[in-house]
């Protein structure tokens, strides 16, 4: 019987294929008494040296395939290899208990894993996860067992796992890993980021996927909407196969294009599609021909997984590289958005009870002008190389925005005084992702050059639903009428002030919402690269005039269920219309017309 599970869609797209359950806890750990502790410690040292070689190789391979920033995770792992506290723990237990080293190490890792599951501090969890990853590698060496790996997958498969470590994801066999489903994890976990960079559809936080699958079971992963179907019935399979085919056709069309492809509605209205990127390496040829610019460059990924801050020069190079490649199209650089669930351990962010409501994003930057100004200088310097815009996250009030602008003015004046070149016309924008910003959007619109609605956070703050908590993922609802009204209000404020309003949350990449967002008057949509073909296809199948009327209808709906009902009916009807038109075209073609 079909089983449908809902999790958090972290890398969009549809994957259909047989399940490959990936169980990493497959070691048989022997337990025996030893007589020579020195010999045991020597075995540990040899295993650690072997792991060091592997990690150095993985670091190089990942740097070559995905770029330096994704590879940095292995540098962190290399540092953890030298973690003295673990070695001290093992040494003392070895002398007290006298058991073999693999038993002691496994026992220690099991204790760490148990603690990790009960602790809510994301920073602690992130570090423990890395430690477990490294620990498993050492165990593999000690036992002379090949570590279960996804580097070579025999047949095209959908990988289902309790969790995947960053190194398992970074080295996944991209050709045969059709999709990823995991029981735990959130949208900003490394696995999620890597899956997006590798363009593999992925759903995390499913809780029970592992418990339901057997090897070879058929599964569907809908990474856009966060659904996984195990042993789908014939109608589900047919529906998703059709959707997948549509997206792939569009994707091939876009990939084959040499020139930038303009996205137009059926009635000829040009609608800009932009990309959300985390790293410069994501700006590939296929991305360049698919987008009219970068609507959100999440610069914080330059700061994650490392033990020091990126220098102004390093930041400048990253920003200038993206700006130059996309010139003259705009590249929207968002200033550092750390805190919340994106933690940079070396910046000593204190443990907070409510990190999502805490010292994060612009709040952090305003109190660390050294970091903030260095980033702004790098951004302004990069503006000479292309069309750079700068955007600020988590703005919640007017004073805050004015404070930001004051810092921007100081940075501009400083650069001018030192004769450093920058574009005087760089546009300054505000992310609208806090409910208070929506309420005063008329006032904020007068203080900046553009808006970008960040629905990921706006939904979490408006509906009071933590965006990374899988237990309440079902309540995280973009179709809630409150969210639609907030988008409408923000767009109206932007229009009244004569500034453009983009939308860059995950909602932008879900074709179910495309016509509604067009109808609400959003000026552009920015999304992960993988979502672009499906949204492009949807826009090409939409009339601007009917989108406006449709949006009015949807806004009148009173509940999220009603809204979803309207969206789904519309989506299916348009699908049917498209099928009818293509059949008509086909039959005309056959009749020689
Ligand atoms: C958002 O909040 O919608 C957004 C685009 O930013 P992030 O997902 O990086 O918080
Ligand atoms: Mg946000």
């Amino acid at each position: 019987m079909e089983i449908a599970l809902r999790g958090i869609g972290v890398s969009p797209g549809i994957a259909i294929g047989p399940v490959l359950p990936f169980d990493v806890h497959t070691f048989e750990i022997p337990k025996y008494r030893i007589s020579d502790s020195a010999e045991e410690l020597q075995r540990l040292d040899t295993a650690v040296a072997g792991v060091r070689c592997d990690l150095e190789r993985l670091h190089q391979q990942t740097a070559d395939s995905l770029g330096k920033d994704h590879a940095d995770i292995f540098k962190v792992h290399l540092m953890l290899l030298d973690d003295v506290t673990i070695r001290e723990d093992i040494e003392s237990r070895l002398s007290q208990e006298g058991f073999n080293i693999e038993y002691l190490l496994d026992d220690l890792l099991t204790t760490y894993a148990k603690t990790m599951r009960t602790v809510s501090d994301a920073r602690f969890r992130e570090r423990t996860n890395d430690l477990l990853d490294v620990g498993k590698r050492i165990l593999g060496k000690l036992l002379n067992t090949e570590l279960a790996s996804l580097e070579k997958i025999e047949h095209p498969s959908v990988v289902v796992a309790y969790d995947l470590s960053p190194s398992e994801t970074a080295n996944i066999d991209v050709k045969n890993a059709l999709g990823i489903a995991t029981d735990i994890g959130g949208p900003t976990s490394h696995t999620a980021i890597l899956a997006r960079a590798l363009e593999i559809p992925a759903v995390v936080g499913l809780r029970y996927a592992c418990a339901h699958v057997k090897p070879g079971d058929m599964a569907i992963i809908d990474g856009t909407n966060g659904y996984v179907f195990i042993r789908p019935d014939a109608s589900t399979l047919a529906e998703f196969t059709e959707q997948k085919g549509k997206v792939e056709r569009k994707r091939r069309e876009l990939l084959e294009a040499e020139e930038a492809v303009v996205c137009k509605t059926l009635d000829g209205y040009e609608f800009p599609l932009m990309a959300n990127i985390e790293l410069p390496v994501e700006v590939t040829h296929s991305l360049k021909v698919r987008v009219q610019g970068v609507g959100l460059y999440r610069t914080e990924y330059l700061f994650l997984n490392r033990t020091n801050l990126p220098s102004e020069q390093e930041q400048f190079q990253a920003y200038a590289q993206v700006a130059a490649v996309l010139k003259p199209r705009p590249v929207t650089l968002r200033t550092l958005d750390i805190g919340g669930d994106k933690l940079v351990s070396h910046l000593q962010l204190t443990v907070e009870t409510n990190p999502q409501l805490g010292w994060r994003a612009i709040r952090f930057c305003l109190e660390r002008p050294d970091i903030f100004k260095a980033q702004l200088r790098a951004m302004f310097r990069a503006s000479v190389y292309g069309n750079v815009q700068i955007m600020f996250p988590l703005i919640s009030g007017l004073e805050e925005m004015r404070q930001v602008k004051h810092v921007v003015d100081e940075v501009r004046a400083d650069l001018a005084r030192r004769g450093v070149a920058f574009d005087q016309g760089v546009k300054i924008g505000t992310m609208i992702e806090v409910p208070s910003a929506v309420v005063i959007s008329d006032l904020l619109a007068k203080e900046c050059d553009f808006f970008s609605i960040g629905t990921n956070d706006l939904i979490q703050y408006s509906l009071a639903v933590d965006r990374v908590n899988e237990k309440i993922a079902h309540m995280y609802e973009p179709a809630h009428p409150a969210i639609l009204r907030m988008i409408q209000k923000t767009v109206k404020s932007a229009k009244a002030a004569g500034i453009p309003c983009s939308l860059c949350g995950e909602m932008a990449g879900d074709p179910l919402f495309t016509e509604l967002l067009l109808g609400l008057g959003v000026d552009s949509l920015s999304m992960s690269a993988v979502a672009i073909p499906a949204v492009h296809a949807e826009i090409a199948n939409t009339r601007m005039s009917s989108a406006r009327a449709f949006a009015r209808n949807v806004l009148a709906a009173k509940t999220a269920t009603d809204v979803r009902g309207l969206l789904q009916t519309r989506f299916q009807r348009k699908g049917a219309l498209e099928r009818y038109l293509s059949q008509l075209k086909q039959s005309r073609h056959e009749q020689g017309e």
Side-chain angles (χ1 to χ4, degrees), residues 334 337 360 431 433 457 467:
R334 179 177 70 185
D337 185 2
R360 53 166 296 207
M431 281 201 76
E433 51 182 352
D457 276 317
R467 65 192 260 192

Side-chain angles (χ1 to χ4, degrees), residues 296 298 300 334 337 342 431 433 454-457 467 504-505:
L296 168 65
R298 293 182 164 104
E300 55 274 12
R334 179 177 70 185
D337 185 2
K342 293 177 216 143
M431 281 201 76
E433 51 182 352
T455 45
N456 301 344
D457 276 317
R467 65 192 260 192
C504 64

Side-chain angles (χ1 to χ4, degrees), residues 488-520:
Q488 183 195 34
K489 178 166 173 61
T490 308
V491 169
K492 274 193 178 162
S493 300
K495 294 224 183 303
I499 62 167
C501 180
S502 174
L503 190 143
C504 64
E506 294 308 311
M507 199 176 171
D510 184 347
L512 192 67
F513 290 98
T514 306
E515 182 169 14
L516 171 64
L517 294 175
L518 257 63
L520 286 172

Side-chain angles (χ1 to χ4, degrees), residues 319-505:
Y319 309 152
Q321 183 191 339
V322 178
V325 173
L326 282 160
K327 187 181 173 184
R329 285 169 276 176
V331 171
T332 313
L333 305 175
R334 179 177 70 185
T335 58
L336 188 57
D337 185 2
I338 52 160
D341 56 326
K342 293 177 216 143
L343 292 157
V344 179
S345 12
H346 63 95
L347 288 177
Q348 307 297 330
L349 299 173
T350 46
V351 175
E352 297 180 327
T353 324
N354 266 322
Q356 299 286 4
L357 304 179
W359 194 44
R360 53 166 296 207
I362 201 64
R363 303 166 182 184
F364 171 84
C365 284
L366 285 171
E367 283 191 35
R368 288 295 305 261
D370 51 331
I371 298 175
F372 193 30
K373 283 187 171 172
Q375 181 169 48
L376 287 170
R377 280 196 298 273
M379 290 177 169
F380 275 107
R381 284 171 54 201
S383 67
V384 180
Y385 294 83
N387 180 359
V388 164
Q389 314 194 129
I390 302 177
M391 168 163 95
F392 301 95
L394 211 77
I395 296 289
S396 59
L398 211 54
E399 281 112 336
E400 203 171 37
M401 190 58 203
R402 288 185 179 148
Q403 243 178 303
V404 166
K405 282 172 67 185
H406 182 69
V407 180
V408 167
D409 287 344
E410 283 180 348
V411 168
R412 276 199 181 115
D414 171 48
L415 291 174
R417 200 169 37 245
R418 293 192 283 126
V420 180
F422 66 95
D423 174 5
Q424 301 280 350
V426 169
K427 293 199 165 60
I428 301 294
T430 307
M431 281 201 76
I432 301 289
E433 51 182 352
V434 180
S436 61
V438 176
V439 177
I440 58 154
S441 52
D442 54 331
L443 305 175
L444 282 171
K446 296 191 185 116
E447 297 282 333
C448 62
D449 302 315
F450 65 93
F451 275 168
S452 188
I453 307 178
T455 45
N456 301 344
D457 276 317
L458 188 59
I459 296 167
Q460 110 162 320
Y461 295 129
S462 308
L463 305 184
V465 177
D466 183 346
R467 65 192 260 192
V468 291
N469 184 341
E470 62 261 23
K471 288 197 207 84
I472 44 170
H474 61 285
M475 295 180 70
Y476 186 89
E477 179 50 280
H480 195 297
I483 303 300
L484 307 188
R485 289 182 193 197
M486 289 205 215
I487 297 172
Q488 183 195 34
K489 178 166 173 61
T490 308
V491 169
K492 274 193 178 162
S493 300
K495 294 224 183 303
I499 62 167
C501 180
S502 174
L503 190 143
C504 64

Side-chain angles (χ1 to χ4, degrees), residues 44 54-56 80 359 441 496 570 580:
L44 179 63
D54 289 354
L55 287 172
E56 276 160 2
L80 286 175
W359 194 44
S441 52
R570 179 81 167 179
Y580 169 74

Side-chain angles (χ1 to χ4, degrees), residues 51-79 137 151 166-167 170-171 194 305-306:
V51 171
R52 194 181 309 281
C53 282
D54 289 354
L55 287 172
E56 276 160 2
R57 178 181 55 84
L58 284 169
H59 179 258
Q60 194 50 48
Q61 270 175 9
T62 313
D64 293 344
S65 58
L66 287 173
K68 180 182 157 306
D69 301 282
H70 280 312
D72 277 351
I73 182 68
F74 296 109
K75 274 205 190 149
V76 174
H77 285 196
L78 279 163
M79 274 170 34
R137 288 187 179 279
E151 259 177 275
S167 61
N171 291 289
L194 288 165
N305 287 323
R306 53 192 295 160

